[in-house]
Every structure is written in structure tokens, then in C-alpha cells.
């Protein structure tokens, strides 16, 4: 299960424009995940044969035993008579404007639902009833203005990238106790639009809020998160209180903001962090406290205004404190004179290629 989710996350996490999801490829990953189920090859081929003979396929769609693909058909609504026993339903890149109460009424075996790149602005509160087996729900690139009510209770991956969501109400994700991945990037979401308790009950690992209108790190996200993406916002500074709640954080993305300062001790609450992105900001010095992070391996600081680097900015004085050596430190595109940086500054870096310095050009 974790491998499957990781594959999804790696392929979609950095996307900034609509990219078609290969549903059949996801189906292969699903098969790998379910390989230990007690289904013989003989039974599978019989099921496929019966399906081809007895099941109908919506007009314009392509159907296989467990997948119905209706992408790029100019559909303005969810097609009728979708086979009830399918696992994946692909409705990408259509003109669907609304999800009605009975659109998925009998699809109680559905595992993945892909509604990316439509014109959906309204979802009926009962649209996802009886969909207890749904694990993947992609609603990115639509016109939703708020989080839909009564989302499938066992969903693992939920994506709302690039909608019109400017407010997340209290208990918006109530009951989603198994949610691992939550993508909310590219929405007009400001800090004031996140109500206290909006993420109550979640034990999510990844939260994406890049390309929004945030001016500070949100303080009320799930405490379980291990990866937080806040790139391309308007965050001005990093303070000690920002990460007190996020003790499990492993990867932090704050690139392309307007950060001018990082308060000393800001990362004390994240002792296991492995990767920090602070590139393309307004920093004038290396953030304090990096040398105390025993497991930090990658730090991106390129594209700032850093003009000097101290010998102990990255590495602790006592070599025994550092558990993981750095594999990457980027300092290029800063006004620092690299010939003034002492070689001992990078004594806890693996290999010469682990540090990226370069001439600064105005």
C-alpha cells in the first residue's frame, strides 16, 4: 500500500499543469499490491471472459474487466449504465459540470475515481454514499469553491489541485481517518480561509498547499504529516512556533516565497527532518540551527541574497552529533564569494559534488 501511494505521489506531486493520469498504469500497481490475494489465474480469465460477453459499455468509452475509460469524450455528465463491478473509472478531460446524487449509485466496488480537468462546480452531498472501497479520488482542475460534503470514508489519496477553493471549513474532512495524501495546491487559499479544526481527525502523511495565497505557515495541519509542500506562496518569515505541531516532518518545501528571515530554533521541533527547500527567497544569511539537525541531508538555499557562509553554519562542531551526512547543499545564485568559504564548512558533506556554489550575476 505504501509503495502504491509513493508511486502516485512521485508522479503527481510536482505537477503544475494538467497532466493526464495513466489509469491502466495505476491498475498495474493495484495488481502488484493485491498480488497476495487468493485469486487463481484460472478464475481471473473466466471473469474476463464473462465480462466481455455479458457487460455493456457506455457509448464512446473503452471498457476492460475492471476499468472503464471515458476520457476526452466531451461528456457534460457522468455516463449511465456503468458496469457495477469495476475498480477504476476514468472521466478525465471532459466537460462535466455537476456530480449528481445517483451518478455513482451502484459503484460500491470502485477503488479509483478520476474526475480531473472537468468543469465541476457542484457535488451532491450523497454522491459518494456506499463507496466504502474508494481509495483514490482525484478532483483536480475543476471549479469547486469548497470541500465537498460526505467524502468517501476510506479514501487514502484526495486531490483538489487547481480549483477555486478559498475556504476550508471546520471538520471539512471529518471521518477520513485513513487519508494519507491531501493535495490542495493552486487554490486561492489564504491563512484566514482555513478555519480552526479544518483538519480534525486526520492522520495524513502528505499535505500540499503550494501556489496558494498563504502569508505564513499554517499552524493547524495534521500533526502526523511527514511532508509539507508550501512552494510558490507569499510567506514572509519562518518562526519557532511554525513547526511545533509537526514533529514527524521529514520533507519541507518553502521555495519561491518571500522569506526574509528564519528565527533561531525554528527547526528544533523537527529533529528527524531530512530535506528542506528554502530556495528562491529573500534570505541574507544561512538559516540558524541547521548544524543541530542530525538527520538533515538536503538543504536548498539557491536563489537567495546570502552574502557569507560561516564555518559552522551546516556542520556541528562535534562530528559525532551528525547521524546522516549531507548529500546536497545548494548555494548557487547567491552573492556569496565562494573563494571566501572555508573548506571545513562542508566537512559533513558526502563527496565534492554534494555542494553547489557558483558565481553570482545581478
Amino acid at each position: 500500500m505504501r509503495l502504491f501511494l509513493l508511486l502516485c505521489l512521485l508522479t503527481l506531486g510536482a505537477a503544475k499543469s494538467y497532466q493526464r493520469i495513466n489509469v491502466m498504469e495505476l491498475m498495474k500497481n493495484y495488481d502488484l499490491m493485491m498480488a497476495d490475494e487468493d485469486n487463481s489465474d484460472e478464475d481471473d480469465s473466466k471473469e474476463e471472459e464473462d465480462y466481455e460477453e455479458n457487460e455493456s459499455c457506455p457509448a464512446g468509452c473503452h471498457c476492460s474487466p475492471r476499468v472503464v475509460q471515458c476520457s476526452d469524450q466531451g461528456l457534460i455528465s457522468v455516463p449511465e449504465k456503468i458496469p457495477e463491478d469495476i475498480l477504476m473509472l476514468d472521466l478525465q478531460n471532459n466537460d462535466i459540470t455537476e456530480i449528481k446524487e445517483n451518478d455513482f449509485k451502484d459503484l460500491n466496488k470502485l477503488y479509483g475515481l478520476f474526475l480531473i480537468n472537468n468543469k465541476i462546480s457542484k457535488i451532491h452531498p450523497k454522491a459518494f454514499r456506499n463507496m466504502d472501497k474508494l481509495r483514490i479520488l482525484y478532483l483536480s482542475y475543476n471549479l469547486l469553491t469548497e470541500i465537498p460534503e460526505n467524502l468517501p470514508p476510506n479514501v487514502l489519496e484526495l486531490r483538489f489541485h487547481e480549483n477555486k477553493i478559498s475556504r476550508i471549513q471546520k471538520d471539512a474532512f471529518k471521518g477520513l481517518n485513513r487519508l494519507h495524501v491531501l493535495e490542495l495546491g493552486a487554490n486561492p487559499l489564504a491563512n484566514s480561509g482555513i478555519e480552526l479544526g479544518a483538519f480534525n481527525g486526520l492522520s495524513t502523511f502528505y499535505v500540499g498547499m503550494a501556489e496558494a495565497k498563504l502569508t505564513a505557515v499554517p499552524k493547524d495541519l495534521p500533526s502526523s504529516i511527514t511532508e509539507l509542500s508550501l512552494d510558490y506562496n507569499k510567506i514572509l518569515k519562518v518562526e519557532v512556533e511554525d513547526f511545533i505541531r509537526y514533529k514527524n516532518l521529514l520533507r519541507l518545501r518553502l521555495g519561491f516565497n518571500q522569506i526574509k528571515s528564519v528565527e533561531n530554533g525554528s527547526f528544533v521541533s523537527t529533529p528527524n527532518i531530512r530535506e528542506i527547500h528554502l530556495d528562491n527567497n529573500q534570505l541574507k544569511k544561512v538559516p540558524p540551527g541547521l548544524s543541530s539537525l542530525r538527520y538533515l541531508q538536503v538543504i536548498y538555499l539557491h536563489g537567495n541574497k546570502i552574502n557569507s557562509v560561516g564555518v559552522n553554519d551546516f556542520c556541528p562542531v562535534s562530528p559525532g552529533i551528525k547521524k546522516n551526512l549531507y548529500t546536497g547543499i545548494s548555494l548557487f545564485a547567491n552573492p556569496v564569494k565562494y573563494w571566501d568559504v572555508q573548506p571545513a564548512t562542508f566537512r559533513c558533506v558526502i563527496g565534492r559534488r554534494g555542494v553547489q556554489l557558483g558565481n553570482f550575476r545581478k
Side-chain angles (χ1 to χ4, degrees):
M1 180 66 72
R2 287 178 180 269
L3 174 61
F4 179 60
L5 289 171
L6 181 59
L7 288 169
C8 296
L9 183 57
L10 290 175
T11 52
L12 292 172
K16 294 182 183 178
S17 59
Y18 169 62
Q19 295 183 352
R20 179 181 302 280
I21 305 302
N22 189 331
V23 175
M24 297 308 295
E25 195 64 33
L26 290 180
M27 194 67 222
K28 290 179 183 178
N29 292 328
Y30 171 86
D31 288 338
L32 289 172
M33 184 181 65
M34 302 298 290
D36 58 347
E37 293 290 330
D38 295 326
N39 293 322
S40 67
D41 294 339
E42 216 174 277
D43 290 340
D44 285 344
S45 57
K46 184 179 187 302
E47 180 185 348
E48 292 185 13
E49 182 181 346
D50 290 343
Y51 181 93
E52 291 174 357
E53 290 179 357
N54 300 326
E55 294 291 350
S56 60
C57 188
C61 301
H62 175 73
C63 297
S64 62
R66 295 173 295 170
V67 179
V68 172
Q69 293 179 285
C70 302
S71 58
D72 301 278
Q73 297 298 314
L75 299 173
I76 59 173
S77 61
V78 175
E80 299 179 357
K81 298 181 180 179
I82 298 173
E84 297 177 8
D85 60 347
I86 62 167
L87 295 177
M88 302 276 189
L89 176 57
D90 180 7
L91 292 166
Q92 296 178 83
N93 203 28
N94 282 292
D95 297 314
I96 299 170
T97 58
E98 180 182 354
I99 302 300
K100 300 182 178 69
E101 179 178 356
N102 294 320
D103 281 347
F104 310 121
K105 180 181 178 182
D106 298 315
L107 303 183
N108 52 20
K109 295 182 180 179
L110 203 62
Y111 185 92
L113 176 57
F114 306 91
L115 290 160
I116 305 168
N117 203 36
N118 277 276
K119 299 176 181 178
I120 300 167
S121 61
K122 184 179 180 180
I123 296 179
H124 194 279
K126 295 183 179 179
F128 301 117
R129 70 189 185 283
N130 301 323
M131 299 184 76
D132 292 348
K133 294 187 178 180
L134 194 70
R135 301 293 187 268
I136 303 172
L137 177 56
Y138 289 179
L139 283 158
S140 298
Y141 304 98
N142 278 288
L143 301 174
L144 294 170
T145 58
E146 59 184 17
I147 304 299
E149 296 180 42
N150 303 318
L151 291 164
N154 294 313
V155 68
L156 299 176
E157 187 174 359
L158 184 57
R159 294 185 180 269
F160 292 103
H161 187 88
E162 199 162 317
N163 276 268
K164 305 291 183 182
I165 299 170
S166 59
R167 173 177 168 267
I168 303 179
Q169 65 274 26
K170 182 180 179 180
D171 295 323
F173 306 100
K174 185 177 181 179
L176 306 189
N177 300 323
R178 301 182 63 185
L179 187 65
H180 290 176
V181 175
L182 177 59
E183 179 57 72
L184 292 162
N187 281 283
L189 187 62
N191 292 82
S192 59
I194 305 173
E195 292 187 7
L196 186 64
F199 302 95
N200 281 347
L202 291 186
S203 56
T204 306
F205 299 137
Y206 170 87
V207 172
M209 286 185 168
E211 302 175 82
K213 294 185 176 181
L214 301 174
T215 56
V217 176
K219 307 295 193 298
D220 195 35
L221 299 175
S223 60
S224 56
I225 55 174
T226 58
E227 182 165 353
L228 177 59
S229 177
L230 298 172
D231 293 328
Y232 293 94
N233 275 284
K234 298 179 180 179
I235 298 171
L236 299 174
K237 57 184 177 180
V238 176
E239 300 177 311
V240 171
E241 63 181 16
D242 286 346
F243 304 110
I244 289 176
R245 180 176 170 83
Y246 313 132
K247 302 184 186 301
N248 299 313
L249 205 58
L250 299 178
R251 295 179 183 84
L252 173 63
R253 298 178 182 274
L254 284 166
F256 292 92
N257 277 275
Q258 300 170 20
I259 299 170
K260 294 183 178 181
S261 64
V262 176
E263 189 177 358
N264 192 14
S266 293
F267 300 118
V268 169
S269 300
T270 60
N272 297 317
I273 198 160
R274 264 68 169 175
E275 187 173 319
I276 300 174
H277 295 239
L278 279 164
D279 54 287
N280 295 284
N281 278 285
Q282 304 293 320
L283 295 171
K284 293 183 178 180
K285 61 180 181 179
V286 175
L290 297 182
S291 61
S292 66
L293 299 175
R294 300 191 300 169
Y295 298 98
L296 183 63
Q297 293 177 283
V298 176
I299 174 72
Y300 290 168
L301 292 168
H302 55 272
N304 278 279
K305 298 180 178 181
I306 299 170
N307 54 30
S308 64
V309 178
V311 71
N312 295 319
D313 279 351
F314 298 102
C315 305
V317 176
S318 174
I321 295 176
K322 188 72 173 170
K323 297 298 181 182
N324 289 347
L325 298 181
Y326 286 99
T327 57
I329 296 176
S330 68
L331 282 163
F332 63 90
N334 279 287
V336 59
K337 297 178 180 178
Y338 64 87
W339 52 84
D340 287 340
V341 180
Q342 297 184 40
T345 301
F346 306 116
R347 59 189 177 276
C348 58
V349 180
I350 296 177
R352 296 170 61 183
R353 295 183 179 181
V355 179
Q356 296 179 18
L357 286 163
N359 292 326
F360 175 73
R361 296 180 180 178
K362 293 184 179 180

